[in-house]
Amino acid sequence: NRQIVLASRPTGAPIAANFSLNKVERPIPQQDEVLLRTVYMSLDPYMRGRMSDAESYADPVAINAVMVAGSVCIVEQSNNDDYQVGDWVVAFGGWQDFVISNGVGLIKLSDQLPNKSYALGVLGMPGLTAYMGLLDIGQPKAGETLVVAAASGAVGSLVGQIGKIKGCKVIGIAGGAEKCQYVVDELGFDACIDHKAADFAQQLANVCDNGIDVYFENVGGAVFDAVLPLLNTCARIPLCGLISQYNATELPEGPDRLSLLMGKLLVKRIRMQGFIVFDDYGHRYNEFMTQMSEWLLSGQIKYKEHRIEGLEKAPEAFIGLLKGENFGKLVVRVGEE
Ligand code: NDP
């Protein structure tokens, strides 16, 4: 049983030495327990927060403990009447080959699901995040302008496509020409602006000629600076993530812009609301699954995976996620289907 544990806490960007691959005995399930074998494992930005011991909405991973992750697993052995050998489940299994579960919190996957790894993306946590963040907090209306950052990624790609279904003008922001082209040509956004371009703020202002009504925030930093002056009266900002700041060790340089932000929120009556997906919307999972499965099946929603082969590659792939090296939802194939 291979496990990747947190060897040390990063200062700034994580490095390979923060992780360690250990080999341990395969665990044995006791009464009412099942042994799960990991087939796919999700890599997500929130894991950077768990590597740090700063106060957050969830406890940090302890030093020498297995890194946390959502995973798609097969039941290998079962002492639990609710699970049979060969069942597919979504678990919070972590960065390892095998994990024991007492069944609590497992979600059984239907045999009909053609791509089991989709349960970690479009039909899983990132999908629920996009769906609820946009529809419940963003409240998009037909004809409005929606801007979404990290637009080619797991959450952003879905936010923009749902926005199109709801009749919005949708502008993506992504890193590099290839991602921007994909967002427009394949996902059907109206435009996508490269945040690495020297005149990024000007380009964004040009395409948002009627201002911004909904800004789905995934990144923060310089991208938010460019969005702020374009926000319309009564704009909504689902505050989902701030990935550009996750490796930061101190506040950004430059003048303090807090009063600028608060003044803008006040006079434009803007509503900005953070959310933590399962805490706030876990109870609406079935509603999301029904609608998203329908959209996916009908081809109205497209989905791209960035798949890595092998558990041992997970640290490198995760370090790359925080630098924009993934193109689509990052998933590791840990074992055979
Ligand atoms: P993605 O698949 O979008 O991958 C992350 C992307 O972020 C990268 O590909 C890169 O895209 C972009 N990025 C990385 N660093 C920077 C930077 N310095 N400046 C600008 N962009 C950067 O990840 P997810 O879709 O899984 O997550 C998107 C966001 O949603 C994250 O902030 C995450 O924490 C948040 N989230 C929040 C949840 C909640 O409950 N609140 C739940 C799930 C996700 P590019 O190359 O285009 O710049």
Side-chain angles (χ1 to χ4, degrees), residues 283-301:
H283 63 290
R284 292 176 66 181
Y285 196 79
N286 289 344
E287 166 195 339
F288 146 76
M289 269 300 268
T290 306
Q291 179 61 83
M292 190 60 95
S293 306
E294 203 180 297
W295 282 336
L296 194 62
L297 215 66
S298 69
Q300 275 175 288
I301 290 276

Side-chain angles (χ1 to χ4, degrees), residues 248-266:
T249 50
E250 50 192 32
L251 290 172
E253 285 186 18
D256 180 355
R257 282 155 296 172
L258 188 60
S259 56
L260 176 73
L261 169 65
M262 291 181 75
K264 193 83 173 173
L265 296 186
L266 171 63

